[in-house]
Amino acid sequence: MADNDPIISIRGLVTQFGDQVIHDHLDLDIFEGEIFGIVGGSGAGKSVLMGAILGLVPAKHGIIKVLGKRTGNLERIMKLHLQSHWGVLFQGGALFSSLTVGENIQIPMKDMEHMPDDLALEMALIKLKMVGLEEGDFYKYPSELSGGMVKRAALARALAIDPEILFLDEPTAGLDPISAAAFDELILTLRDSLKLTVVMVTHDLDSIRRLCDRLAVLVDKRAVIGTLQSLLNNKHPWIREYFHGVRGKAAMAGLME
Amino acid sequence: MAISTPKIEIFSKNEMVIFKPQGIWEASSANDVEKLCKNLLKNSLPPFVVFDLSELVEFDTSGIWLLDKTIQDIKKRGHQVEVKNASEAFLTLSSRLESYKPSFKHLPKPQTYIGKRIVELGKVSVNLAFLARDLISFLGQVVVGLFSSLLHPKKLRLISIVAHMERFGVNAIPIISVMSIALGLVLAYQGEEQLRRFGAEIYTINLVSISMLREVGILITAILIAGRTGSSITAQLGIMKINQEIDALNTLGLSPMDVLVIPRFLALILVMPLLAFVSDIAGLLGGGIMVFFSLDVSPQLYIHRVAEAVTLGGFWVGILKAPLFGAIIAIVSCFEGLRVEGTAESVGICTTRSVVEGIFLVTLADALLSIFFSKIGI
Ligand SMILES: Nc1ncnc2c1ncn2[C@@H]1O[C@H](COP(=O)(O)OP(=O)(O)OP(=O)(O)O)[C@@H](O)[C@H]1O
Ligand SMILES: [Mg+2]
């Protein structure tokens, strides 16, 4: 893999549930070390796109490459051990309900035989604090957490092994503004020091502005890709509405002429 | 190609030692990194220790954490430590990690093995008592719910009841018939073998028909329904509880008792006698097939002998037990379903318990009823 090759590349992706086409020949490149935002209306197919990259949703047509290797279904991903290169935060958290928060965070570490137990415990505690939870939450079960705490615990699990690629589905939804800002800073620090690549589905305009190097807007079953600046000038009616609507204007104040 | 395994190069000068970490210091090599760090601490060190990080380029939080910990340990022993040539990334991350340092304050102390067992024993016994209490109070709630829906028949959800009757009853007919035919065959075969010794093999027909109608038919039906329907009710209500669907019902002013429990309860009560009847007929059919082949009893004769052997009372004893058993299964499975708490594991535990308790209580009730019926002479 050459240095300027994309870390994730998608060509001509078609996904479909029954007759409903979600993506129609969608192309997308994500490069190492960038924070890449995916936005779009509810039901536009953001989560499905992430699922397709992760091999959870079968692609009807098209080529998906991660780290230069062709993926597409779970079997191939298993064989390539791609799972140890990425961490995933699902929209609903997807914590294992029969395990405590601490055990949830340690699962990806336990999976690697190279991590001694006491170190795994320490690292889990560190990750727990990193995402803003307290040590006292370590032994709570997911059913005993608040909505925002579930999100954070799931983020801690996604960060557990410092993956090269971090997939986040609406990470700041359900967080208070202070925690959301802390989250933005955390992601920036990790990206800057560990060269993490972050793929982030989000509706949070502040996060987009603070974090995202580039964005893909899912409209009309395809992706319109660009920097925030270039998308602000895009003429597509939905994109205009998104950034120039009441909320968009407030969040993007100062960026627009 | 860069060196991949983590390493620490050591340069000693008279009063000073320089450590130069190299290679990959990441979670995937954490085992090796930890060993390296432990080895550093084993040796006796000169007063001045320098960490030269110029060649440490591949690291993640676990690598930084281990290195930081080692440095702290060396400092604690009274050595002077200097960190040189650390990249900016290393410094920002390590200062961040400093603030996340675990204190282990809130971690509970592990119990001793014996302590754990004693606590467990206590929990099990107390839980058993609570279980009995809760089950009885749930029974009370169901009875109250039943009366209130009988007083306001509009509250009865007829469509839901009929739909449940189809799922619990109609769809169970094939499996119940097959099992009952097989049981009829087995009963007839075993009975005939024993009775033949007394030359009384023709009484096989009495044996099969009486035991099938009084006991076996309804028991096998109840056991199958406890396994098939009881488990599905528990799992369904359990998942609804986890998804907060039960809470949603409550906030909408709909009582889970009326919406979920009573329809299932009534459906099972209504459907059980019918299933027991199906099982009786299928069992007799199985017995008939067996005696036709082994004793050469024609179907007409078989029906005639069955009619002679069975009293109406015997038939009703079997059928009348059915609604009772249906009620037991419905109450136990709804009760266990609503007891599910939060985790997927709990759904599994409660479903198992629902089936086991259902079968246990049905068998117990059957034994008590048998004694009762024989005392009053039916
Ligand atoms: N398992 C599934 N079966 C059938 N249709 C599905 C399935 N998963 C998603 N869909 C459909 O695919 C479309 C895109 O769903 P997706 O979850 O990707 O939306 P989204 O962009 O993530 O929306 P949101 O911002 O609300 O999370 C929706 O119309 C949804 O109904
Ligand atoms: Mg989504």
Side-chain angles (χ1 to χ4, degrees):
Chain A
M1 203 174 109
D3 264 357
N4 51 358
D5 275 350
I7 198 163
I8 296 172
S9 115
I10 300 175
R11 288 288 170 273
L13 174 71
V14 178
T15 52
Q16 189 166 347
F17 291 108
D19 288 339
Q20 186 194 7
V21 177
I22 312 289
H23 304 114
D24 184 15
H25 293 93
L26 176 146
D27 297 333
L28 190 69
D29 281 324
I30 298 172
F31 295 92
E32 188 175 358
E34 81 178 333
I35 299 182
F36 191 89
I38 299 176
V39 300
S42 278
K46 304 180 293 295
S47 301
V48 173
L49 176 60
M50 221 167 88
I53 300 173
L54 298 171
L56 304 175
V57 176
K60 194 108 192 285
H61 293 292
I63 297 174
I64 303 176
K65 283 186 181 169
V66 178
L67 292 165
K69 288 166 197 142
R70 182 155 178 197
T71 65
N73 59 39
L74 275 181
E75 229 166 278
R76 213 155 345 153
I77 290 173
M78 285 281 181
K79 234 180 250 162
L80 294 169
H81 292 294
L82 279 178
Q83 280 99 341
S84 57
H85 294 277
W86 66 39
V88 183
L89 165 66
F90 286 95
Q91 193 167 4
L95 293 173
F96 300 112
S97 61
S98 351
L99 303 180
T100 62
V101 170
E103 287 166 336
N104 262 286
I105 303 175
Q106 287 178 63
I107 281 224
M109 309 180 190
K110 288 275 161 69
D111 199 39
M112 309 166 103
E113 293 120 34
H114 328 281
M115 182 79 89
D117 281 353
D118 48 347
L119 180 64
L121 180 68
E122 276 175 9
M123 291 312 295
L125 278 166
I126 290 176
K127 297 287 148 81
L128 192 76
K129 288 186 152 180
M130 215 183 230
V131 298
L133 290 171
E134 318 211 326
E135 268 176 55
D137 301 327
F138 198 76
Y139 284 98
K140 284 191 178 152
Y141 282 91
S143 56
E144 300 163 356
L145 300 181
S146 76
M149 287 162 80
V150 168
K151 267 270 146 72
R152 291 176 207 217
L155 178 65
R157 187 177 70 184
L159 287 173
I161 51 163
D162 292 314
E164 289 156 60
I165 315 175
L166 196 56
F167 291 94
L168 307 173
D169 199 342
E170 306 202 6
T172 51
L175 295 190
D176 61 90
I178 299 175
S179 317
F183 163 83
D184 290 352
E185 294 318 307
L186 173 66
I187 293 296
L188 276 181
T189 315
L190 290 178
R191 192 272 301 264
D192 292 341
S193 40
L194 299 178
K195 293 187 207 65
L196 215 62
T197 309
V198 181
V199 182
M200 184 165 88
V201 174
T202 186
H203 294 302
D204 184 340
L205 289 157
D206 299 317
S207 265
I208 293 174
R209 180 168 176 185
R210 180 88 182 93
L211 292 180
C212 294
D213 301 313
R214 288 192 311 140
L215 289 167
V217 187
L218 295 192
V219 282
D220 308 330
K221 302 177 179 159
R222 308 236 178 143
V224 179
I225 299 167
T227 59
L228 182 57
Q229 246 343 307
S230 73
L231 287 171
L232 285 175
N233 299 325
N234 196 295
K235 289 284 177 284
H236 189 285
W238 194 87
I239 302 178
R240 274 200 75 78
E241 179 67 27
Y242 190 85
F243 289 113
H244 298 264
V246 184
R247 288 179 167 227
K249 261 205 184 112
M252 299 301 155
L255 277 185
M256 289 179 272
E257 63 284 359
Chain B
M1 210 186 106
I3 336 149
S4 51
T5 48
K7 238 176 32 180
I8 298 184
E9 238 175 279
I10 304 176
F11 306 93
S12 289
K13 289 180 199 162
N14 34 19
E15 282 289 87
M16 192 167 100
V17 62
I18 302 178
F19 294 124
K20 223 177 190 184
Q22 298 167 330
I24 298 181
W25 286 52
E26 291 185 351
S28 56
S29 55
N31 233 344
D32 299 336
V33 173
E34 199 191 33
K35 265 186 217 134
L36 272 180
C37 292
K38 280 212 177 112
N39 282 340
L40 271 196
L41 293 176
K42 266 186 207 149
N43 306 330
S44 63
L45 297 168
F48 292 102
V49 179
V50 176
F51 280 86
D52 181 355
L53 305 186
S54 53
E55 285 173 34
L56 182 65
V57 275
E58 301 213 37
F59 55 83
D60 66 6
T61 45
S62 66
I64 295 184
W65 172 248
L66 284 171
L67 194 57
D68 270 347
K69 231 173 33 167
T70 319
I71 293 176
Q72 294 306 328
D73 283 348
I74 294 178
K75 272 188 186 159
K76 251 185 237 155
R77 290 200 205 161
H79 301 273
Q80 283 239 343
V81 183
E82 189 190 347
V83 179
K84 276 202 318 200
N85 300 331
S87 61
E88 195 165 327
F90 183 94
L91 290 177
T92 35
L93 209 53
S94 105
S95 71
R96 236 174 196 266
L97 285 190
E98 187 59 33
S99 58
Y100 301 138
K101 204 167 163 182
S103 65
F104 296 103
K105 245 196 322 237
H106 296 277
L107 302 191
K109 285 210 182 70
Q111 283 173 322
T112 61
Y113 179 81
I114 294 180
K116 242 193 235 167
R117 291 287 160 271
I118 292 177
V119 168
E120 231 160 71
L121 182 67
K123 270 189 191 159
V124 168
S125 355
V126 172
N127 284 347
L128 206 63
F130 282 160
L131 175 74
R133 184 198 65 186
D134 293 347
L135 190 59
I136 291 170
S137 89
F138 186 75
L139 173 68
Q141 290 171 25
V142 172
V143 171
V144 171
L146 260 184
F147 272 111
S148 86
S149 45
L150 288 184
L151 290 180
H152 312 277
K154 263 195 210 144
K155 263 184 23 187
L156 273 185
R157 292 161 186 272
L158 273 183
I159 296 181
S160 166
I161 293 177
V162 173
H164 286 314
M165 284 177 73
E166 180 183 350
R167 274 204 296 139
F168 301 164
V170 180
N171 297 350
I173 287 178
I175 180 71
I176 285 189
S177 322
V178 171
M179 294 274 293
S180 304
I181 289 178
L183 270 175
L185 286 171
V186 171
L187 266 180
Y189 178 73
Q190 295 295 343
E192 185 220 317
E193 280 227 317
Q194 301 303 320
L195 291 172
R196 186 184 296 280
R197 300 187 195 171
F198 308 104
E201 60 264 35
I202 196 66
Y203 284 100
T204 307
I205 298 173
N206 298 47
L207 177 93
V208 169
S209 50
I210 290 175
S211 55
M212 206 67 216
L213 296 196
R214 280 187 82 112
E215 292 290 343
V216 179
I218 174 60
L219 258 186
I220 191 66
T221 308
I223 289 172
L224 266 173
I225 291 298
R228 184 184 180 277
T229 306
S231 61
S232 94
I233 290 178
T234 306
Q236 195 194 355
L237 294 192
I239 304 274
M240 287 181 80
K241 182 104 186 279
I242 290 184
N243 280 343
Q244 289 196 305
E245 291 174 49
I246 307 275
D247 295 345
L249 280 178
N250 276 323
T251 56
L252 290 170
L254 298 166
S255 124
M257 182 58 73
D258 293 342
V259 180
L260 301 174
V261 178
I262 300 289
R264 285 172 174 74
F265 180 82
L266 287 178
L268 256 186
I269 286 190
L270 291 175
V271 112
M272 278 294 279
L274 306 177
L275 287 177
F277 181 72
V278 168
S279 167
D280 288 352
I281 300 300
L284 290 180
L285 185 68
I289 293 171
M290 196 70 215
V291 291
F292 176 73
F293 283 112
S294 60
L295 298 181
D296 241 351
V297 175
S298 73
Q300 287 88 351
L301 183 58
Y302 180 67
I303 291 173
H304 183 71
R305 301 273 327 201
V306 167
E308 262 177 17
V310 181
T311 59
L312 208 54
F315 168 75
W316 281 115
V317 163
I319 295 295
L320 282 179
K321 283 194 275 191
L324 176 70
F325 292 177
I328 291 176
I329 294 168
I331 286 179
V332 168
S333 58
C334 289
F335 169 72
E336 287 294 344
L338 293 175
R339 243 156 59 101
V340 167
E341 296 273 333
T343 70
E345 197 183 2
S346 147
V347 177
I349 293 174
C350 286
T351 307
T352 308
R353 264 205 311 242
S354 148
V355 174
V356 172
E357 282 166 15
I359 293 177
F360 170 74
L361 288 177
V362 161
T363 318
L364 187 69
D366 189 55
L368 294 178
L369 281 177
S370 287
I371 298 172
F372 171 72
F373 283 131
S374 75
K375 281 272 185 273
I376 66 169
I378 301 180

